[in-house]
Amino acid sequence: MLRAISLAEAFKYTAKPNPVVGALLVSKTGIISEGSHERFGENHAEINAINNARKLLGKSFNSFEDLTLVCTLEPCSHFGKTGPCAEAIAQIGIKKVIIGALDPNPLVAGKGIDLLIKNDVKVEVGLCQELVKEQNKFFFFKHEKMKPYVTVKIASSLDGKSHNKDGSSTWITCAESRNDVQNVRALYDAILTGGNTVIDDNPRMNARVNFEVNQPKKILLSKKNNFDMESNFFKNAEVTIIKETNIAKVINSIYELDHCSVLVEAGPRLVNAFLKTGLVDELIEYKSSEPLGKNGVNWFSKNTTIENLGFKLESTCKIKSDVKNIYKKC
């Protein structure tokens, strides 16, 4: 199972918004084949493991009935972009399946196991379950909490400022921190920002990384209509524009778009609107070692701190001259 979890991890940027899944077919003497869910819309891990094993039938093993399937997540039982894996497993003749965790998706949620059992397949569930859930924390969160995992990201000066009052451009954090943000973005299904940010900063807000990634979808929260559709934010991107002002309804709209996670990158007004709802699950702060001074705009009011907004510091690390703090909801 640990090997299957390791196989799945390699595709965390390309399988999303699907969960990552790893699978192995094993005999009494060792591993026969391996498979992962490599890309969204393509074969699931179990099917890849079965297809890889077919090439060895009559060489490394004589019958699929002699093999045990080990997979990190419950095999699916419904038709989506691919066919039901549980049905394929039963049809090929596999007689035993060991599963890490039940799939929280209501379309599956035990139905895959039921299908296997009805076809006389012995099933064991729960091996390394917590590791599987942590590996797919956004996917499990969405289906268990019925909302996307919401993270706010801010870049702050040493004195808690966001940007200059006069609108003049300045980098708050170092280049290394800005590079780290790209890796954070790559993990999320969607990135949300506000109209003022798009107009004032002309941001790209994509994941500029040196590995293959399903780029996060872009969400623009604004009632404005005067956007330059040739600006960076709209280039080569699928953008959803939401005009709703009720943040709780906005988050529900993101859930209905089938996003498991969303990264909010915006100015102080919109960031605080999200934080005050109590519906934000994580806050990532990149803090500079340099102050911005009196010309800067505060991220938070004088009487408000991140802790007072219901968060506790979970981890902190240095990124050259900056500090990256990760806060989780209490």
Side-chain angles (χ1 to χ4, degrees):
M1 187 61 74
L2 292 176
R3 173 62 183 165
I5 291 171
S6 177
L7 289 170
E9 187 68 14
F11 301 99
K12 65 183 179 180
Y13 298 107
T14 55
K16 69 188 183 84
N18 281 353
V20 292
V21 183
L24 298 90
L25 281 165
V26 299
S27 68
K28 292 181 179 179
T29 57
I31 296 172
I32 298 297
S33 68
E34 301 176 336
S36 301
H37 178 39
E38 298 181 7
R39 290 172 184 81
F40 178 73
E42 296 185 4
N43 282 343
H44 290 184
E46 304 93 320
I47 302 303
N48 283 331
I50 288 171
N51 288 342
N52 288 333
R54 288 181 196 272
K55 305 168 189 175
L56 301 171
L57 183 60
K59 301 173 184 177
S60 300
F61 71 103
N62 295 318
S63 171
F64 276 94
E65 292 186 5
D66 300 328
L67 303 183
T68 295
L69 174 70
V70 177
C71 54
T72 58
L73 196 65
E74 177 184 2
C76 67
S77 57
H78 65 290
F79 283 91
K81 291 185 178 295
T82 61
C85 294
E87 190 173 290
I89 293 165
Q91 288 179 349
I92 202 72
I94 295 168
K95 294 301 181 184
K96 185 176 181 180
V97 177
I98 299 174
I99 298 168
L102 289 175
D103 193 322
N105 186 343
L107 291 173
V108 184
K111 296 173 185 175
I113 290 174
D114 289 344
L115 194 155
L116 292 172
I117 292 173
K118 287 177 182 177
N119 284 275
D120 299 321
V121 179
K122 184 179 179 182
V123 179
E124 296 179 11
V125 185
L127 186 61
C128 301
Q129 176 176 264
E130 293 308 313
L131 291 178
V132 174
K133 286 186 173 183
E134 178 58 29
Q135 186 176 54
N136 289 293
K137 73 173 186 177
F138 294 155
F139 180 75
F140 275 85
F141 184 94
K142 176 202 171 189
H143 289 296
E144 291 174 353
K145 305 292 186 180
M146 305 298 285
K147 67 178 283 290
Y149 190 94
V150 181
T151 297
V152 165
K153 188 277 294 182
I154 65 171
S156 173
S157 63
L158 181 63
D159 51 351
K161 311 290 185 179
S162 164
H163 60 280
N164 288 324
K165 291 178 182 177
D166 60 11
S168 59
S169 178
T170 182
W171 289 115
I172 298 293
T173 53
C174 65
E176 288 79 4
S177 288
R178 299 196 296 273
N179 287 336
D180 188 72
V181 170
Q182 308 307 319
N183 293 320
V184 172
R185 287 176 177 169
L187 290 168
Y188 285 78
D189 293 345
I191 294 177
L192 180 147
T193 194
N196 289 337
T197 298
V198 169
I199 293 172
D200 296 342
D201 298 343
N202 192 25
R204 284 177 283 178
M205 285 200 179
N206 57 354
R208 299 184 289 280
V209 291
N210 59 0
F211 49 82
E212 186 180 356
V213 60
N214 290 349
Q215 284 291 338
K217 301 294 189 287
K218 295 182 182 181
I219 300 173
L220 177 56
L221 184 57
S222 178
K223 286 191 170 184
K224 298 178 185 293
N225 294 309
N226 58 331
F227 294 106
D228 176 5
M229 303 309 288
E230 297 300 316
S231 64
N232 288 333
F233 188 76
F234 297 97
K235 286 181 179 177
N236 303 314
E238 180 181 324
V239 179
T240 299
I241 299 177
I242 300 177
K243 297 183 179 292
E244 177 62 59
T245 56
N246 184 304
I247 299 299
K249 290 182 178 179
V250 170
I251 292 173
N252 188 62
S253 295
I254 296 168
Y255 170 79
E256 291 177 349
L257 288 169
D258 213 23
H259 298 319
C260 297
S261 58
V262 59
L263 181 67
V264 178
E265 295 193 55
R269 182 182 297 178
L270 187 52
V271 159
N272 279 278
F274 267 87
L275 292 173
K276 288 174 182 176
T277 65
L279 296 173
V280 174
D281 305 290
E282 184 173 330
L283 189 150
I284 301 174
E285 176 193 41
Y286 292 88
K287 193 158 194 173
S288 170
S289 59
E290 299 293 329
L292 207 53
K294 294 181 179 179
N295 188 42
V297 176
N298 290 321
W299 270 112
F300 308 109
S301 65
K302 291 182 179 180
N303 297 324
T304 303
T305 65
I306 294 173
E307 288 82 1
N308 286 342
L309 288 166
F311 293 87
K312 62 179 179 180
L313 181 63
E314 182 176 85
S315 67
T316 185
C317 68
K318 287 277 290 182
I319 301 180
K320 202 173 180 180
S321 58
D322 298 339
V323 175
K324 178 182 180 182
N325 295 316
I326 297 179
Y327 296 85
K328 293 288 182 70
K329 187 176 180 179
C330 293

